Amino acid sequence: DAGVIQSPRHEVTEMGQEVTLRCKPISGHDYLFWYRQTMMRGLELLIYFNNNVPIDDSGMPEDRFSAKMPNASFSNLKIQPSEPRDSAVYFCASSGTGGLPVSYNEQFFGPGTRLTVL
Amino acid sequence: SQKIEQNSEALNIQEGKTATLTCNYTNYSPAYLQWYRQDPGRGPVFLLLIRENEKEKRKERLKVTFDTTLKQSLFHITASQPADSATYLCALDSGSARQLTFGSGTQLTVLP
């Protein structure tokens, strides 16, 4: 398996523009997570899905952020409109729980998307 | 409020020595605690998981301890090598949905 795939790897955009980040989880994994990492705040969970259904989106900063998982092979995270304070590295991760608690299983992270909003 | 603290942002040690990294938490009662390694420009990579009823876990040169009374986990790398240089993150389960919450990480540099 190729691991978790994220695209694009780098994104530079101007304030006010819509940004779409994409993720392909590892085949067979039933959990998908979106994280954001900054120097100031570290690695923060934004939202996670179980079997394509959003379970906890309490980490989503505000209404400008949205995430969907239309099928088991794809998820996207959208920011509209983008702001400079959204600049960060966004990671997607997936895990296969086998019925065990989600926090018991290792998460497999993608390479991340480095977003810069000018 | 809930908090996870990892010791000093950066830790430098000499090759061959044992590196000890600390993860302290407050206002959590995690059932599991995980450690990850992150290299620059890459996503975190899972290293070890330890359960609340386990005192110690080992994997090759790595050892993790978990003291639920002290609310602390220690992560040891014995016979450290320059290739061990990276940022190490602890993560514990938290919240009603028991998802993982990550600490801010400790940047370890092993000097040759």
Side-chain angles (χ1 to χ4, degrees):
Chain A
D1 202 318
V4 175
I5 298 172
Q6 291 187 248
S7 64
R9 292 295 310 277
H10 302 273
E11 177 80 31
V12 180
T13 190
E14 293 189 345
M15 182 174 64
Q17 296 297 307
E18 177 178 295
V19 174
T20 299
L21 311 180
R22 298 175 179 81
C23 175
K24 177 178 169 56
I26 292 174
S27 177
H29 281 186
D30 52 350
Y31 278 84
L32 183 140
F33 309 83
W34 281 102
Y35 291 89
R36 178 172 69 176
Q37 187 172 41
T38 62
M39 288 294 293
M40 289 297 295
R41 300 177 67 88
L43 191 62
E44 303 175 281
L45 177 66
L46 300 177
I47 184 171
Y48 78 96
F49 297 82
N50 177 216
N51 292 323
N52 314 338
V53 176
I55 301 301
D56 184 356
D57 65 354
S58 60
M60 297 286 261
E62 47 199 274
D63 292 346
R64 297 184 298 106
F65 285 69
S66 64
K68 293 183 179 179
M69 191 166 185
N71 58 62
S73 301
F74 177 75
S75 175
N76 63 30
L77 177 69
K78 287 189 178 181
I79 309 172
Q80 166 64 16
S82 57
E83 297 182 3
R85 60 190 167 127
D86 301 331
S87 298
V89 180
Y90 290 80
F91 288 103
C92 175
S94 69
S95 71
T97 63
L100 295 170
V102 60
S103 57
Y104 182 75
N105 295 275
E106 69 174 285
Q107 295 184 16
F108 294 81
F109 283 77
T113 295
R114 181 173 294 277
L115 173 65
T116 303
V117 183
L118 302 173
Chain B
S1 63
Q2 297 174 325
K3 201 172 179 183
I4 304 172
E5 286 186 342
Q6 293 193 240
N7 65 320
S8 65
E9 291 185 4
L11 179 65
N12 296 333
I13 64 166
Q14 210 65 40
E15 183 176 6
K17 301 293 185 183
T18 296
T20 299
L21 284 63
T22 304
C23 176
N24 294 300
Y25 56 92
T26 57
N27 297 326
Y28 288 101
S29 295
Y32 316 103
L33 191 146
Q34 300 186 21
W35 283 89
Y36 286 77
R37 168 184 173 142
Q38 186 173 23
D39 291 285
R42 295 179 175 268
V45 175
F46 172 81
L47 295 174
L48 279 168
L49 175 145
I50 188 165
R51 305 182 203 190
E52 61 177 340
N53 61 353
E54 295 177 315
K55 298 294 184 187
E56 182 179 297
K57 200 84 169 276
R58 291 176 184 261
K59 179 182 176 182
E60 298 173 351
R61 293 185 296 112
L62 308 180
K63 185 179 84 172
V64 172
T65 63
F66 193 7
D67 189 325
T68 56
T69 300
L70 291 179
K71 293 187 180 293
Q72 180 181 79
S73 175
L74 298 179
F75 178 82
H76 306 273
I77 306 175
T78 58
S80 59
Q81 305 166 359
D84 296 326
S85 299
T87 297
Y88 292 85
L89 303 162
C90 68
L92 47 85
D93 70 332
S94 64
S96 58
R98 310 303 291 193
Q99 70 273 21
L100 283 181
T101 299
F102 283 81
S104 55
T106 297
Q107 184 176 339
L108 173 67
T109 301
V110 180
L111 305 168

